[in-house]
Amino acid sequence: MQEKALAGIYCIDTFGTITVRISFGEDKERQIIQRLGRGDASAMDDLYALAADKLAGVCARYISAEADRKDILQESFIKIFTRIGSFDYRGHGSLMAWMTRIVVNESLLWLRQRQRDCFVQTVADVPDDVADDPPDTTALSEDELLSAVQALPPGYRAVFNLYVVEGKSHQEISRLLHIKPDTSASQLHRAKRLLAANIYQLIRKKQ
């Protein structure tokens, strides 16, 4: 899957403020849920067609390699289809929010199993001289902004996404990643500084 397709649902309006555009029409959402409830097998195909690219973008926040993202997305859809009967529809957007949580959890599980120490890692070259003011990202494309986030080390990227995008507290992140709240806060601080440095570097290249 091309990164350009992923970037369309993951854009940074200003540093530290991220808008994630993940939704499809309320009528379409209701229809698919009703069809799934009736056991309509074709509804699974339709749900996959509507949501796969969007959920691949969610996975790309946490996982860099495309081959790994495909495996995680496949496992996520298996869980989505096997658990859809227990899903409680709570209005427009609730289905995508529920599926997003599954993909995030599967991505974090993958990281814990294969890169166990990544959530407590430190990077020696996190810059100390980055300006306190957030960089002006208006000159950068969504593709470039996504690449700046994906360039973060896995542990930094996970904490950054959970805190900034998913809106989790450090207490919640500590439980999800099996780290201390103070470690989560430290990782977030380092992630923001490193991300700012990545963005400033992209801006300089365009000047």
Side-chain angles (χ1 to χ4, degrees):
M1 181 174 299
Q2 296 297 316
E3 297 299 340
K4 188 171 184 179
L6 303 179
I9 62 168
Y10 186 53
C11 67
I12 305 176
D13 298 321
T14 57
F15 177 60
T17 302
I18 293 184
T19 301
V20 184
R21 299 193 295 268
I22 303 180
S23 64
F24 43 83
E26 182 173 5
D27 290 343
K28 181 73 71 174
E29 195 175 62
R30 283 182 177 275
Q31 290 170 7
I32 287 178
I33 293 171
Q34 291 169 356
R35 289 167 57 202
L36 287 169
R38 295 194 299 267
D40 183 348
S42 66
M44 293 185 180
D45 294 332
D46 290 344
L47 180 59
Y48 183 89
L50 282 170
D53 283 355
K54 298 176 176 65
L55 294 178
V58 173
C59 190
R61 300 180 205 158
Y62 298 89
I63 308 297
S64 298
E66 183 177 359
D68 295 330
R69 293 199 298 266
K70 287 181 178 179
D71 291 341
I72 292 168
L73 194 63
Q74 181 179 22
E75 185 63 30
S76 297
F77 268 104
I78 290 172
K79 292 191 174 179
I80 287 168
F81 291 141
T82 55
R83 297 177 183 178
I84 193 68
S86 63
F87 169 68
D88 182 19
Y89 183 69
R90 298 183 179 181
H92 183 223
S94 61
L95 176 59
M96 184 57 76
W98 177 73
M99 293 191 295
T100 296
R101 286 195 296 273
I102 290 176
V103 173
V104 169
N105 288 337
E106 286 300 306
S107 299
L108 295 178
L109 176 62
W110 188 95
L111 286 170
R112 284 198 300 269
Q113 290 176 339
R114 291 162 179 79
Q115 302 180 31
R116 187 170 300 176
D117 297 330
C118 74
F119 301 126
V120 293
Q121 68 188 164
T122 57
V123 177
D125 59 351
V126 173
D128 293 324
D129 57 349
V130 177
D132 291 332
D133 294 333
D136 181 3
T137 62
T138 54
L140 300 180
S141 69
E142 292 179 354
D143 292 336
E144 290 169 323
L145 292 171
L146 178 61
S147 70
V149 175
Q150 289 182 321
L152 295 173
Y156 290 8
R157 188 166 65 241
V159 171
F160 177 84
N161 280 298
L162 287 169
Y163 188 90
V164 176
V165 182
E166 311 297 343
K168 302 293 186 184
S169 68
H170 289 303
Q171 287 286 349
E172 291 172 314
I173 294 172
S174 72
R175 290 192 291 270
L176 284 168
L177 304 186
H178 304 165
I179 60 177
K180 296 179 180 179
D182 288 348
T183 302
S184 174
S186 174
Q187 295 284 76
L188 177 65
H189 175 73
R190 290 171 176 269
K192 285 185 174 182
R193 296 195 72 83
L194 191 54
L195 177 58
N198 292 346
I199 291 174
Y200 278 122
Q201 186 176 23
L202 287 172
I203 292 172
R204 285 194 293 270
K205 287 181 179 179
K206 295 176 73 73
Q207 291 175 343

